[in-house]
Amino acid sequence: MAEIIVVTSGKGGVGKTTSSASFAAGLALRGHKTAVIDFDVGLRNLDLVLGCERRVVYDLVNVIQDEAKLHQALIRDKRLENLYILPASQTRDKDALTAEGVERVLNELKEEFDYIVCDSPAGIERGAFLALYHADQAVVVVNPEVSSVRDSDRILGILASKSKRAEENAEPVKEHLLLTRYSPEKVEKGDMLSVDDVLEILGIPLLGVIPESEAVLQSSNAGVPVILQEGSHAAEAYKDAVARYLGEEREMRFLQPEKKGLFKRLLGG
Amino acid sequence: MGLLDLFRKKPAGSAQTAKERLRIIVAQERAQRNTPDYLPVLKREILEVIRRYVQVDSDAIQINVEKDDQQEVLELSISLPTDER
């Protein structure tokens, strides 16, 4: 049975699209046929982060409005054979997304895919609501920072009251915390909320901690999901998160500041 | 204070402040989450009526909605200033 995962946060700029791209790529790497959908109508970016912006012909809104078939709009990733992208429309306005239309597209995807990852837009407007409405599981992307934590708690409230599962009194949407842009150095100095602080406030299970990393910027520059950036801590952390999502036990890594050797310290590295 | 402070460990960073502030605002917003939409307006109007008779602060009114299986209870508590007669 296909599973629908929403990647959401409330606040913008915390790493939803980066995380959607890497999480979906991670599931595909593990052999699961995965589709990732950009719900940010008017401000699409997932195509850029995944490096397929020049291959977009049709989009989600075209499919919803019966102007294209689903398989015409789906873009197959060039690196990962199990990964497909359904881009958002860049020109239509947000009202082009309808609840029935989204449901129809998701149902069609469910027949073919193991996982459907919905990349939510920021905010709590229509696009964000439709992205989370059908979710079975939610990956809530949070930065260790006050406004992000507060907004994500708001999103948790919406998941618990307004999602389809909530409306139908079904088993609640399963929530996962993905803490991104984490800086162990700042945490040690006492100037950044720690993993434990955020967990204590939000009270949902931890899926992973992605360290602040230059690799994230470099890979989005290149149009490659950061999880494919071999050797980077961010990639390793995303792989761990995907493994945990799939039920494996993985110890949390990159939570301590890197120990600098004498040599590095002398060089101010 | 003063002397004791010298023996305290270095001052807590800003993260501690962030955590305290978040704890309060998140608890507050969670409490409001499942209340009816009309509650803020109801509160304001009640406040206006009371102020025709007694000067009270806006935080002198507490409204809570409690739900259980059988009923919903709207609980209203107004604390009057002590020096008012």
Side-chain angles (χ1 to χ4, degrees), chain A residues 150 153 157 190-191 197 200-201, chain B residues 13-15 23 29-30 33:
Chain A
R150 179 202 206 168
D153 193 65
D191 282 330
D197 291 341
E200 194 185 313
I201 292 161
Chain B
S14 56
R23 223 198 298 239
E29 288 177 346
R30 279 183 191 169
R33 205 175 272 169

Side-chain angles (χ1 to χ4, degrees), chain B residues 16-30:
Chain B
Q16 195 55 39
T17 317
K19 188 179 173 187
E20 288 310 317
R21 291 172 60 218
L22 272 171
R23 223 198 298 239
I24 292 165
I25 192 71
V26 165
Q28 204 176 0
E29 288 177 346
R30 279 183 191 169

